Structure formats: structure tokens, C-alpha cells
Amino acid sequence: FAPHTHTHKRMDVFSAVGFLSAAALPYAHPAVLAEYVHVVQGLILFVVIGRLIFLFIKPRLGSSSSHGHRGTKSKVKLLDDDKIADIVDNWTPEPLAPRLTPSQERDAANEVIISSTTRTHVTANGKENVLHLARSSYLGMIGHPKLQEIAEKALRKYGCGSCGPRGFYGTLDVHLLVEQKITKFLGGDEAILFPSGFATVSSVISCFAKPGDILIVDEGVSHAVQVGVTLSRAKVHFFKHNDTTDLERILTQTMPKKGEKIVRKFVIIEGLYYNYGDIAPLPEILELKSKYLFRIVLDESHSIGVLGKSGRGITEHFGVDIKQIELLTGSLSNAVGSGGGFCLAEKTLVYHQRINASGYVFSASLPPYLSACTLGVFDMLESDPSIVPTLKRNTQRLHAGLKKINGLAVTSDVISPAIHVALAKSSGNREEDEDKLQAIVNKALDNGVLLTRAKYVEAEKFRPPPSIRVCASSAFSDEDIDQALKGIQKA
């Protein structure tokens, strides 16, 4: 807006606003007029503050400029070429990543590569017919002939991947069928399917818990849960593993005092703790819930398909109404042997996740052949009631046999198929214990049994004691269990 005058002066911002006002305001809607007034007030304030700042710093700029032209000699001592060359030659750039820790070096030196697999055995590091006790295929679904057939049919029908998130043309009918099947199987309101098991619980926690909220977390939770807790930026309290007395202590401390604002409070636990091989005292926690009024986030990544008469998890195991749990999550890559994860919750909470949970919104949806296999597994759980009892029997046999091995101590509950075996006598030095356990793992592989040390991320807040993790499977025969115990005993 430059008026055609002989002075060729430009119209300032206030003149421009006035010009537009005169032309437009007589016809403006009252709501538009109110917004206009608000904008003009902000514009005036912006200009006034800007001019005040300019007037404040202008004298300083002027004095600084004049000081630079006084002709005084600089006191800075310049380096000669030899000194510069010496500094450059001796300069060491900062590393892009930190040096490997002893634990990381140990893991790198003892890598295991699997080149073929069946339901129970693998070819590991070129050694054939090795019994696999290091994976969490509790129901023996990896390599199941029926699931391989289902996967092939789905691959031919849908292709390999979806190539799109659920909200952006990545939803296939098989995804909806999985959500419906999980909802029916567990008995909740609605389920949502995530493409990553790890990202499920971390996305769910950070989707609901925000700054200002209070999270009270069991020290034994997995790294995935810890990531979600960190992403939430809420205030976090950790209570001692499976210690309801310590939990109540924190609940009492975090009660709002008179006149204080009431904040949302979440207690975060796991059904079966993979890091310890024990289960949460859910009935006692629910008693505290009725007294202190908090919400529960329950991760059942290692208890779905494992606990309860029919594998419906820790709520079935204790006979608890699943609707008492606000947010129930789980991975489908363990007992189910597929991929992805799920969250079971009220319909409004599920809808909130569909537009806010980062692991759902920003990731390509679960490959359709994995979704089809997930359907197949839940169908088998419903049609074959012997799968879960067989797992329980094999778990008990492994527990009993491992307890008889001299030099080792079983630290897990007898109900847990993820069995932690530690040294009966610790050296008192974590790295020395880890070395001894790794030596046992290596010897066991030579004996035809694949084991693994329980490994943790260096950044984990509460690392459990060193141990070997042995995983039971319903696919193991009595001969397989005997082979496992003999191989470990010999190692």
C-alpha cells in the first residue's frame, strides 16, 4: 500500500490497518470484529515493545562501534603456523558413540546366528538340532505347520506389508478381525492393534500420562515400560518390586493435601515380569485402588497365553474382572508367536489412542500375514484347551529339574515359563558373575542346548541380578526337557 504522492512515503503499519479497517469493518460479523480488535491490540503491543528494545540497545551498539575505532592495539596473541599445525595434528574428534562397556563387548563376542528353526530346535552358529530355550515362544507357535499355511495364504492374498499407518489407508480387514478377536477372547470393551510389541506399552503410557500427572511404577518393569514413563514427562515414583507395602507408602505420600489440586495418578505394573519370572499381586493392588483411587496400566506381554486356565492372563488367574483395569496392554510376539501388540480399554480410550498414540499413528500397520497368524493362534487357544495346561506341566518339570543342579539357584515363581537361574554363590562382582554365566551358556550350546543370559539395556534404572533365562514351551516333549536338563547340568 504505497500512496501515489510526490513524497513517495510508504504507509506505516498503523496506516495500513486503518486503511483495511475503513474498507472491511462496516461489513464484519461481530465475532470477526472481536477477533480483529484482539489482533490489533497484539500488533500495537508488539510494535511498542520492539521500539523500546531498539531504543535500549542502540546506545550500546554505538559505544561498542566507536570503541573499536580508537586505534588501540589488540591484546590477543596470534598463534604462529607451527603451533596451529601442532594443535591440528594432536586434535582428537569426539566419538560419535561411547566406548563399548564390558557387557556390550561380551555380547558382541558371543553372538549367536540362527539359520533355520522348527517349533523346538534350531541350527545355531552352524550347529544343527539345537534345543532352543532362549526364546519366549511359550506356546510353541513359531514354526507351527498350521500357522505357516495361514501365513502363506495371507501373503498371497494381501502381499507382504501394508505400506501405510492405520489412519492413512493402512487398515486391512484382517486388522479389524484381530481387534474383534482379542476383545472377545479377553472380554473387554474394545481392543486396538499396534504394529510393534515394544512400542505398544510405551505409546499407551505417553498417550495418557502427561506433565503434572503422577506415575507410580514397579521397579521390575521392562525397558519398554520405562521408555513410556520417560516419554510421558510425568512425575515418577518407583516402588519396590511386588511390594504392596511400599506401594501404599508412596500412595499415602502422594495424596493431595487440603487445598491442593487433585492430579491424575497411575500405577504401572506387569502381569508376569520377564525380568524376574514372577507375577504381580493384583488382588492386593486392586484393594489399594479402591482406597486411594488411581488408574492401573497393566502390561500382559508375558502373561497372555500363559496365565489362567485358558491363557487369558493374570485377571483370569486371580478371577478378577478385567474391566477393573483401565489400560491393559500386551505383546503378540511372545506366546502368540506373531508380532505387534494390543491395548484393551474402554471405547473412548481406544479412540483416543487411534489419533494420539505415536506407535499407532506414525507406524505402518502390522503386516497382514502376521495378523492372520494372530487370528489362527487365538482360534487354537479357543478350540484346543490342552495347550495352556501342557505349558504349565512343562514349566513345572523344568523348574523341578533346574533346582536339582548344583551351583545354580532358581529365582522365579514355579508358575512362570520365563525361568531365571542365577549362580548359587555370587562373587559379589557383577561382571565376574556375568562371565561365569556366559561360560555356562557357551558350554550348553556345545551340548546342544541354546540358552541366553538375561540381558538388559545399560540405561535401565533397576537392573536385576545376573542370571540365565530359560524359557519353557508347550511344544517341548519329555525327551526335550530331559535333553535340556542334561545339557545344562553338563555345562
Side-chain angles (χ1 to χ4, degrees):
F1 299 94
H4 299 287
T5 63
H6 67 280
T7 58
H8 296 289
K9 291 182 179 179
R10 291 189 178 274
M11 184 181 294
D12 64 19
V13 64
F14 295 105
S15 300
V17 170
F19 178 82
L20 290 173
S21 303
L25 287 183
Y27 308 99
H29 187 276
V32 176
L33 180 61
E35 182 66 22
Y36 164 80
V37 171
H38 178 72
V39 171
V40 170
Q41 288 174 341
L43 183 61
I44 293 172
L45 183 63
F46 174 78
V47 173
V48 170
I49 292 175
R51 288 182 176 178
L52 289 174
I53 292 173
F54 177 74
L55 292 173
F56 176 75
I57 65 173
K58 184 178 179 182
R60 297 174 180 269
L61 292 175
S63 61
S64 175
S65 175
S66 60
H67 179 73
H69 293 282
R70 290 178 182 176
T72 58
K73 292 184 179 181
S74 174
K75 296 182 180 180
V76 178
K77 185 177 180 181
L78 299 178
L79 300 176
D80 56 37
D81 293 342
D82 291 339
K83 186 63 176 178
I84 293 174
D86 182 61
I87 293 173
V88 171
D89 291 340
N90 290 288
W91 177 73
T92 303
E94 184 178 345
L96 293 176
R99 291 180 178 275
L100 295 181
T101 64
S103 178
Q104 292 169 336
E105 290 180 349
R106 185 187 304 108
D107 292 341
N110 294 281
E111 186 178 19
V112 175
I113 299 174
I114 296 174
S115 52
S116 68
T117 183
T118 67
R119 294 184 70 189
T120 56
H121 290 72
V122 295
T123 298
N125 290 353
K127 186 177 180 63
E128 298 180 350
N129 201 34
V130 175
L131 182 63
H132 201 335
L133 278 81
R135 64 187 176 191
S136 55
S137 180
Y138 305 126
L139 301 180
M141 294 300 171
I142 293 178
H144 195 293
K146 185 175 180 179
L147 295 182
Q148 289 178 326
E149 182 181 347
I150 291 173
E152 182 179 345
K153 287 182 179 178
L155 194 62
R156 295 184 183 279
K157 179 180 179 180
Y158 297 101
C160 186
S162 63
C163 297
R166 288 288 300 274
F168 297 91
Y169 309 105
T171 295
L172 303 176
D173 57 354
V174 70
H175 295 137
L176 302 178
L177 292 174
V178 170
E179 292 175 345
Q180 294 167 12
K181 174 66 76 173
I182 293 174
T183 302
K184 180 183 176 184
F185 181 78
L186 295 179
D189 279 358
E190 188 172 337
I192 177 174
L193 180 65
F194 285 78
S196 165
F198 184 95
T200 298
V201 67
S202 58
S203 295
V204 170
I205 292 172
S206 58
C207 180
F208 291 99
K210 304 297 180 186
D213 294 338
I214 295 175
L215 303 184
I216 306 175
V217 188
D218 189 294
E219 289 181 356
V221 295
S222 66
H223 185 59
V225 175
Q226 294 177 37
V227 170
V229 168
T230 302
L231 291 175
S232 72
R233 295 179 296 156
K235 188 173 183 179
V236 183
H237 300 267
F238 287 94
F239 66 94
K240 295 175 183 178
H241 177 53
N242 274 349
D243 189 336
T244 53
T245 302
D246 194 46
L247 170 59
E248 186 168 16
R249 176 186 63 82
I250 296 174
L251 288 168
T252 303
Q253 289 178 352
T254 55
M255 287 285 288
K257 294 180 176 61
K258 188 176 180 180
E260 287 185 346
K261 180 182 177 182
I262 297 176
V263 298
R264 298 189 303 177
K265 196 177 296 184
F266 299 83
V267 170
I268 303 177
I269 56 175
E270 296 181 10
L272 191 156
Y273 289 89
Y274 191 54
N275 287 355
Y276 287 89
D278 53 13
I279 64 176
L282 186 58
E284 290 88 339
I285 292 174
L286 288 174
E287 287 181 11
L288 293 175
K289 179 186 177 185
S290 63
K291 181 178 179 180
Y292 293 96
L293 305 178
F294 54 81
R295 295 175 173 89
I296 294 179
V297 180
L298 170 63
D299 184 57
E300 293 225 60
S301 292
H302 291 273
S303 47
I304 291 295
V306 172
L307 297 182
K309 183 179 178 181
S310 57
R312 286 174 167 81
I314 193 170
T315 54
E316 183 185 39
H317 174 75
F318 283 117
V320 169
D321 183 2
I322 200 168
K323 292 186 179 180
Q324 293 188 64
I325 311 299
E326 281 76 14
L327 296 165
L328 188 149
T329 64
S331 170
L332 298 170
S333 59
N334 297 311
V336 178
S338 177
F342 70 91
C343 178
L344 189 76
E346 293 180 358
K347 291 185 177 182
T348 52
L349 302 184
V350 168
Y351 181 79
H352 179 76
Q353 293 174 66
R354 293 193 192 280
I355 57 177
N356 289 284
S358 56
Y360 179 92
V361 175
F362 300 110
S363 298
S365 59
L366 188 67
Y369 68 91
L370 289 178
S371 303
C373 287
T374 300
L375 284 174
V377 172
F378 282 108
D379 286 340
M380 282 190 276
L381 282 171
E382 291 177 329
S383 61
D384 185 359
S386 69
I387 298 176
V388 176
T390 301
L391 171 63
K392 296 182 187 298
R393 183 177 66 86
N394 288 349
T395 297
Q396 291 171 357
R397 283 204 64 204
L398 265 175
H399 267 272
L402 289 168
K403 285 182 177 180
K404 295 177 182 178
I405 298 177
N406 292 329
L408 298 179
V410 177
T411 61
S412 302
D413 292 346
V414 70
I415 199 172
S416 170
I419 308 167
H420 285 262
V421 182
L423 295 173
K425 277 190 175 183
S426 171
S427 66
N429 182 288
R430 186 180 186 95
E431 296 305 325
E432 288 184 17
D433 288 354
E434 295 279 17
D435 286 336
K436 290 178 182 178
L437 293 171
Q438 185 60 50
I440 295 173
V441 169
N442 294 342
K443 282 289 185 181
L445 180 56
D446 294 337
N447 299 334
V449 179
L450 181 57
L451 303 174
T452 182
R453 289 177 14 259
K455 301 173 184 177
Y456 308 99
V457 178
E458 296 285 334
E460 286 203 37
K461 192 172 182 63
F462 304 99
R463 279 198 297 171
S467 66
I468 292 173
R469 187 188 290 117
V470 180
C471 291
S473 171
S474 61
F476 289 161
S477 64
D478 290 341
E479 291 75 19
D480 291 333
I481 295 175
D482 291 338
Q483 177 191 349
L485 294 173
K486 288 177 182 178
I488 297 172
Q489 173 71 68
K490 189 177 178 181

